Amino acid sequence: EAGVVQSPRYKIIEKKQPVAFWCNPISGHNTLYWYRQNLGQGPELLIRYENEEAVDDSQLPKDRFSAERLKGVDSTLKIQPAELGDSAVYLCASSPGANVLTFGAGSRLTVL
Amino acid sequence: GESVGLHLPTLSVQEGDNSIINCAYSNSASDYFIWYKQESGKGPQFIIDIRSNMDKRQGQRVTVLLNKTVKHLSLQIAATQPGDSAVYFCAENPRTDKLIFGTGTRLQVFP
């Protein structure tokens, strides 16, 4: 089993540029999460999907962040335009229900 | 200058010793807790979980203790090995299907 797959692993962009991250969850996992992890801190939830429905996006900065999970499988997280403070690791996780999340390796974003 | 967030609490232990990593959680309504291990450049990896109707749970070389009275969680690692070196996070679920992660503790294992 491949686990949760994320790409790209690393991305360096200049501020005001757009960026997108992709996540392929574990097969059969209906719940998908996007977390942001700042350096030296624990992950913070951005958005949670149950199948294709975003059931918790209260922490997603909607002015510049967007996410989609059109067919209830893969998901993309987009930032447009990126700001310096967006530099972080963006983690995708999936679970078959609640609680025990399996995380991907993350996408490290550096905004210059 | 450096962000305060860079200064993770650090526990340094000698290989073979036991490690105890502590966590204070915030929400008395939380009924489920997980410990995750995160190695450099990787995502958090599940170690062990415990529900609020228990006060102790054991896995392979790891034990989680839960004290609901003082809202405290600990992870004990027996016979710590170099491969245990990582950052350890506790996470709580305050009955909202949303895991809330703590700040993390860096475990360093010396030979």
Side-chain angles (χ1 to χ4, degrees):
Chain A
E1 190 173 86
V4 177
V5 180
Q6 292 188 243
S7 69
R9 287 297 314 278
Y10 305 94
K11 189 74 176 179
I12 301 174
I13 60 172
E14 294 187 343
K15 63 182 180 182
K16 300 186 181 180
Q17 294 301 305
V19 64
F21 305 111
W22 175 80
C23 173
N24 179 238
I26 291 174
S27 178
H29 282 194
N30 297 328
T31 309
L32 183 145
Y33 310 76
W34 282 103
Y35 280 81
R36 176 169 59 189
Q37 186 174 27
N38 292 313
L39 187 63
Q41 297 182 19
E44 296 177 320
L45 180 68
L46 292 174
I47 189 167
R48 174 168 68 98
Y49 282 93
E50 294 288 346
N51 298 304
E52 65 273 12
E53 181 182 0
V55 296
D56 184 354
D57 63 356
S58 57
Q59 301 301 312
L60 189 73
K62 298 180 184 62
D63 57 336
R64 298 182 300 106
F65 285 66
S66 64
E68 61 183 15
R69 193 185 184 198
L70 292 176
K71 296 183 179 179
V73 180
D74 294 2
S75 177
T76 56
L77 176 69
K78 298 178 181 178
I79 309 174
Q80 182 171 10
E83 297 180 351
L84 296 176
D86 296 331
S87 294
V89 175
Y90 291 84
L91 292 163
C92 180
S94 69
S95 70
N99 290 332
V100 182
L101 280 59
T102 301
F103 284 86
S107 295
R108 180 179 296 277
L109 173 66
T110 302
V111 182
L112 303 176
Chain B
E2 284 189 314
S3 165
V4 170
L6 292 176
H7 296 287
L8 278 174
T10 299
L11 175 66
S12 298
V13 300
Q14 192 160 22
E15 182 179 356
D17 287 352
N18 297 333
S19 302
I20 300 176
I21 300 171
N22 296 303
C23 174
Y25 64 93
S26 58
N27 195 322
S28 56
S30 293
D31 61 353
Y32 182 72
F33 306 87
I34 305 180
W35 280 100
Y36 279 90
K37 172 186 179 182
Q38 187 172 26
E39 296 175 278
S40 180
K42 298 182 179 180
Q45 178 186 9
F46 172 88
I47 302 174
I48 192 168
D49 59 357
I50 188 168
R51 296 200 174 274
S52 59
N53 60 352
M54 304 172 68
D55 53 21
K56 179 179 180 179
R57 190 165 188 221
Q58 288 184 294
Q60 187 177 16
R61 283 202 308 119
V62 295
T63 301
V64 55
L65 298 178
L66 174 63
N67 185 331
K68 296 181 288 294
T69 302
V70 295
K71 291 190 286 186
H72 183 268
L73 198 65
S74 68
L75 177 70
Q76 300 177 0
I77 304 174
T80 312
Q81 301 170 0
D84 295 326
S85 294
V87 176
Y88 289 80
F89 293 98
C90 67
E92 62 180 302
N93 183 339
R95 303 178 192 250
T96 60
D97 289 332
K98 177 173 14 184
L99 280 181
I100 299 173
F101 285 79
T103 303
T105 297
R106 185 182 307 280
L107 176 64
Q108 295 180 331
V109 183
F110 294 94

